[in-house]
Amino acid sequence: MTNPMAPAIYLRSAVALAGRFPVLAGVDLDLDEGSVCVVLGANGAGKTSLLRLLAGLVPLASGEGAVLDCSLPGQARDLRQHVGLLGHDVGLYDDLRPAENLRFVLKASRLDPGLSDDALARVGITGRTASTPLGQLSAGQRRRVGLALLLARRPRLWLLDEPHASLDEPTRDLVSELTEEAARGGATVVATSHEPDLAIPMADTVVTMSGGIIATRAPGGRRGDRGWSDVA
Amino acid sequence: MRRTLTILGVASVALVALDVILGLWVTPPDADQGELVRLVYLHPALAWVALYLAFGMAALCAVLYLWPRTRSMRFDRLSASAVEVGVVFIGLTLITGSIWGRPTWGVWWTWDARLTSTALLGVLFLGYLALRRVPADPEVRARRCAIAAIFAAVDVPIVHFSVVWWQTLHQGATVLNPNLTPTIHGLMAWTLLLSFIAFTTLFAWMVLMRFQIEELRESGEDVELTRALEARRAEGVAS
Amino acid sequence: MWRDAVLIAGRDLRIEARSRVALWQVLPFAVLTLLLFAFALGPRPGLLAQSAPGLFWLAVLFSSVLAAQRSMAIEGSGATRDSVRLLGLDPAGVFLGKVLALLAEMVALEAVLLGGVVLLFHVTVTSWGVLIGACLLAAVGLCTANVLYGSLAGEARMRATLLPVLVLPVVAPVLIAGSKAFSASVAPGSGSGARWLGILVVFAVVYSAMGVALYGPLEES
Amino acid sequence: MNAYVAAGYVISLGTLGAYGFSLAIRLHRASKRGRREVSS
């Protein structure tokens, strides 16, 4: 496991490019293992690109970076297996049923496919919805399947892109609950959001991004189980 | 860099001019082909540049780009330049080939093994150029094009053998079409050699120019990158 | 590698089983091309039988490109591609998996088309061994080339038009060798079939090897 | 002078000339753009 002192995420003036455009123009970020960080900011500020950089899906064009002891951009490939990314589109196969989707991903990650059933039960995908192809489920239900995937894979880094967007009340509570549970279980969570009132209470750190850099950083409302919280 | 370009340019124009003068006026016509043989100072040289030089270079640069230690965008640009110039030469090889074929076989196009495989390779590298135009991240595009160039190069022998076997069964290459390069000697041989040198230099000049265009375009974009970074940050501060 | 290959092949075939695209779209297209060829060449049986080898392989070629478009569509773009890249599968395994899935569809397609050609074009095959061998080898060659160029062509909107332009010139030798092998299997006793099978073997081996070696960097893009 | 030979030479040299000329123009434009970027 990572030694407790080294931060789970360490970025120094990180730049990421989309073609010729610098979506990330010098990001500095430090996050500890097991902490929850919420990233606020306008559309186009670079929030999603930050998540994809942390997932090792976007090459670090310049600057320094290390996530979960994998240095970027060199060890991006090794980093990916420890990362769970959940965006607006859940990134699974519409023709397959939820359980089949999960079993495929679990087998690919060398995990026991049996985990899929209780993960789906945990997020409330049971009975008829469990046997209808993913394509025919609603956005909320698809998001739940995405969450079930994260639960089953238990990645060390959870990257959530606007997890609360377009969800009903119970599903939103489920998102917050599962995120808290994951962080308590030692996972590091980074979530972007447009709903500060929902996001801040569940976060140790809240940063705002604009113009491809981190503009402000403040502590969030979550009392870390370590009992400290520097009330700025 | 500019100086080498101009020297190469002058040299290639001079050599090609010399080749044309010798080829058209100084060298004697052939015994059985008559004046038509003058195309021999054009067609084989074009074909040599197109098939071996251009696509050999493209494949080599592609491998060098893909090889991690020697990876650099310059090889990608070199490979692309070689393909673009190569496609022009392949077009001319086909045109001069069919012009030469018209009086000898009476048709503009024959399914002669060499012409067919040249045409197929031409289409193959048109696919490369089509792939190159797909908007993508420079590194991603470079990687895709390098792999496409290697595929095409690997396909050359397969295409060659399948077309040659296919063609010989079809209508017997040796019987119908006289060997395109008749046995020649003396001044004609020297001119032929000159034609190879002239067109190789011309090829080198064109590839270098095309490469320089890409370099300048790229360096233009690097300059823009630093300005883009400042603009991006300013955009943040403003909002 | 093989573990991932089986996994990917299973996924692709399961998606095909659910969506039945190959069965209800690619197969009719293949049979349709046979009919169109017949309409083009006219009903005279002698002519059709004589050109049957070429027509069969043209139908197989175009259908293989269609099937490959479908197979690449499964990879999806954006979120789905991201989530698969997060799984850390062995690229060579992914490549072989996709080829195996496409191969299953192609062999079934070739079987149906073979029946179609024999029936519709009154073809009497003497040495089935050469023909079946050619069909299988060519299918491997076609599938490997199609999967490779499918991932090379990249995003969906470009791929529809780019894939045929890229892959058809490359698989021309398969068309040539296939047709010659087919006519060798129809003409009694002419032993030149082996040469064409040789080309098909070389093609299949070369493109499988390149796929295993180069699919990694390809997927990175 | 045989018509075919003439055609062959004219087409080849014409195309090569035109392509070379287009390269020269593109090079000139690119280098001008390159210089303008750096200087501005």
Side-chain angles (χ1 to χ4, degrees), chain A residues 15 17-23 25-26 44-46 210-213, chain B residues 73 136-138 218 221-222 224-225 228-229 232-233 235-237 239:
Chain A
V15 171
L17 299 176
R20 284 279 148 216
F21 179 71
V23 275
S210 71
I213 52 170
Chain B
M73 285 302 277
D137 187 69
E218 216 60 41
E221 270 145 17
D222 288 345
E224 277 165 15
L225 183 61
L229 274 172
R232 174 68 166 154
R233 290 198 189 103
E235 171 194 300
V237 167
S239 69

Side-chain angles (χ1 to χ4, degrees), chain C residues 10-83:
Chain C
R11 175 201 69 182
D12 279 15
L13 287 176
R14 193 188 302 273
I15 288 180
E16 168 48 32
R18 278 278 142 43
S19 60
R20 293 240 185 296
V21 165
L23 193 60
W24 295 112
Q25 289 172 18
V26 179
L27 194 58
F29 170 82
V31 176
L32 174 63
T33 39
L34 284 189
L35 296 182
L36 295 178
F37 288 146
F39 296 153
L41 295 180
R44 276 199 321 289
L47 177 64
L48 283 179
Q50 194 218 337
S51 46
L55 302 181
F56 169 76
W57 284 106
L58 274 177
V60 167
L61 222 62
F62 292 135
S63 322
S64 75
V65 173
L66 209 61
Q69 294 277 20
R70 174 67 200 132
S71 163
M72 279 302 138
I74 291 175
E75 293 302 304
S77 55
T80 319
R81 260 170 78 92
D82 281 353
S83 50

Side-chain angles (χ1 to χ4, degrees), chain D residues 3-28:
Chain D
Y4 291 110
V5 171
Y9 274 76
V10 163
I11 292 175
S12 311
L13 298 179
T15 323
L16 287 172
Y19 181 63
F21 192 65
S22 83
L23 283 177
I25 293 175
R26 279 190 282 174
L27 182 59
H28 180 63

